[in-house]
Amino acid sequence: MIRLTNVSKTYGNGPTAIAALKNIDLHVPRGSIHGVIGLSGAGKSTLIRCVNLLERPTTGSVVVDGQELTTLSAAELNQARHQIGMIFQHFNLLASRTVFANIALPLELMGMDKVEIRDRVMPLLDLTGLEDKADKYPAELSGGQKQRVAIARALASRPKVLLCDEATSALDPQTTGSILELLQDINRKLGLTILLITHEMEVVKTICHRVGLISAGELVEEADVGDFFTAPRTRLGREFLNDFLELEPPKALVERLEEAAGEHTHPVVRLAFTGDAVSTPLVSRLARECGVDVSILQAKVESIQDRTLGLMIAELIGTPDKTREALAYLESHDLHVEVLGHVQRDA
Ligand SMILES: Nc1ncnc2c1ncn2[C@@H]1O[C@H](COP(=O)(O)OP(=O)(O)OP(=O)(O)O)[C@@H](O)[C@H]1O
Ligand SMILES: [Mg+2]
């Protein structure tokens, strides 16, 4: 539904030019919810604004619903944008218009008559839970309610795609949850394709099917959400995950970690397991079958959508041969094993 090919965006030129996006390839299939996560300044907003050409890419192709947007005339682009709704962190409502009139605005601009507009707006008020707010002004609404108005307005032209630029970043966790639920509901009911950018793993975890990680203008990693939370492939991905899970080995241990294994060291591992492995008594089996003791430093079980994810940081205590055997045993049981380093055995 959305396909960016080799998209780059440079702000300014000469020595002060900023390469905000570099050779981005991104595909968002019809009906999916796709997240892009990254640190501040990574290029997230630039990326999402390139999808509806609020920012024009310096090079590359932007195809939405089969239509190349970069070569359209102004009038054609205006038409194509009816297919692409957008919501923002700070809602961008018109303070002087009521809820009803805010939602109606894009339809007025399309030249729709009053009766038709009413027929469009009333069901949107229902869909977004604003039945009793039609005549209120934005100043009379909570943040969550304002974002609901923005969502209803974005849906008014019956778009196929919804772009969300940090749509929940100004909201408290509970309100965030209710807005994400609404987005999920819309995705399911209307089959709307959603591209959202965020710096919050919680958002990705809650509603995204796939996620991309952007760093300094480059998409450095892309994965199904379950895979990303089990085994991110990049260092930045692991940092996001560890921050989110608050799962870091104790500092005192990190300082003792050595990269190479030695005759008198034992490995410290990060284990991630899903599915059957979660309910298997692996720790006692390691002791019984491999002769290795497991000292658990941190452990956590998380629900990632329909999957259960177990995470553990542990020291494997045994001779080098035995711990090697134990690592092989873990890997053969579908666990994702990352050796964080090695610590000297206590004398
Ligand atoms: N209009 C602009 N003119 C010049 N530079 C810009 C412009 N917009 C963004 N940039 C620069 O491009 C880079 C990417 O910015 P962008 O706003 O896309 O990041 P972001 O990931 O959305 O950050 P945040 O999480 O803080 O919103 C930054 O270095 C930023 O300073
Ligand atoms: Mg931004």
Side-chain angles (χ1 to χ4, degrees), residues 11-12 18-21 38-47 55 89 165-166 197 199 214:
Y11 290 110
I18 294 170
L21 295 178
L39 298 170
S40 187
K44 301 182 299 294
S45 293
T46 305
L47 174 65
E55 255 355 305
Q89 181 174 357
D165 186 347
E166 299 276 4
I197 61 164
H199 62 272
I214 188 169

Side-chain angles (χ1 to χ4, degrees), residues 30-340:
R30 188 179 300 270
S32 71
I33 305 181
H34 194 106
V36 173
I37 190 162
L39 298 170
S40 187
K44 301 182 299 294
S45 293
T46 305
L47 174 65
I48 205 161
R49 291 163 65 84
C50 277
V51 176
N52 56 3
L53 259 55
L54 281 183
E55 255 355 305
R56 197 164 268 280
T58 310
T59 60
S61 142
V62 178
V63 175
V64 176
D65 197 22
Q67 190 175 32
E68 171 66 58
L69 301 187
T70 57
T71 52
L72 297 182
S73 68
E76 288 167 335
L77 180 59
N78 195 22
Q79 199 61 34
R81 282 194 179 132
H82 295 158
Q83 302 297 330
I84 311 171
M86 188 166 188
I87 57 172
F88 305 86
Q89 181 174 357
H90 297 294
F91 326 121
N92 297 11
L93 302 178
L94 290 180
S96 62
R97 281 182 162 241
T98 63
V99 166
F100 184 99
N102 263 285
I103 302 171
L105 182 64
L107 304 176
E108 287 171 21
L109 295 174
M110 285 161 73
M112 220 178 249
D113 70 48
K114 279 216 163 89
V115 177
E116 239 181 322
I117 288 178
R118 216 178 162 73
D119 287 349
R120 281 270 182 118
V121 174
M122 297 317 279
L124 287 171
L125 288 169
D126 278 348
L127 180 71
T128 51
L130 296 167
E131 301 88 341
D132 54 344
K133 299 280 184 277
D135 300 323
K136 299 277 183 213
Y137 285 87
E140 300 171 287
L141 303 177
S142 69
Q145 289 163 344
K146 285 183 204 171
Q147 197 58 292
R148 286 170 185 274
V149 178
I151 291 170
R153 180 182 58 184
L155 296 179
S157 63
R158 296 195 175 145
K160 294 183 177 149
V161 168
L162 181 65
L163 307 176
C164 311
D165 186 347
E166 299 276 4
T168 57
S169 298
L171 305 174
D172 62 64
Q174 205 179 335
T175 311
T176 292
S178 78
I179 293 295
L180 294 179
E181 238 170 71
L182 175 60
L183 291 175
Q184 200 161 40
D185 193 39
I186 291 166
N187 166 258
R188 287 182 183 148
K189 273 192 194 143
L190 311 178
L192 195 74
T193 305
I194 299 180
L195 174 62
L196 64 86
I197 61 164
T198 180
H199 62 272
E200 292 172 313
M201 289 285 276
E202 183 67 34
V203 172
V204 174
K205 173 193 142 174
T206 308
I207 64 165
C208 294
H209 304 134
R210 268 182 86 77
V211 61
L213 180 64
I214 188 169
S215 170
E218 291 181 72
L219 265 185
V220 293
E221 176 162 3
E222 241 199 317
D224 284 338
V225 165
D227 294 336
F228 183 69
F229 277 80
T230 321
R233 292 190 305 272
T234 57
R235 188 198 177 94
L236 181 63
R238 286 191 288 274
E239 282 172 12
F240 263 103
L241 184 63
N242 287 337
D243 277 357
F244 169 68
L245 297 169
E246 295 171 346
L247 193 77
E248 288 283 0
K251 214 165 176 221
L253 179 80
V254 174
E255 283 163 7
R256 286 170 50 216
L257 279 183
E258 298 169 11
E259 211 160 290
E263 198 44 39
H264 301 288
T265 63
H266 52 242
V268 174
V269 294
R270 178 184 174 282
L271 306 174
F273 36 107
T274 52
D276 291 346
V278 175
S279 50
T280 311
L282 282 157
V283 171
S284 57
R285 283 203 191 158
L286 278 187
R288 211 166 45 235
E289 295 181 22
C290 307
V292 164
D293 286 322
V294 181
S295 167
I296 299 173
L297 303 168
Q298 286 201 10
K300 201 165 217 183
V301 176
E302 275 279 332
S303 291
I304 309 293
Q305 295 172 10
D306 55 352
R307 293 207 223 183
T308 307
L309 170 64
L311 289 143
M312 194 188 286
I313 292 179
E315 288 179 51
L316 303 184
I317 300 165
T319 63
D321 279 355
K322 296 274 185 206
T323 54
R324 254 196 304 278
E325 207 180 302
L327 288 172
Y329 177 87
L330 290 169
E331 275 165 1
S332 70
H333 282 74
D334 261 0
L335 268 79
H336 183 82
V337 184
E338 183 193 348
V339 178
L340 300 175

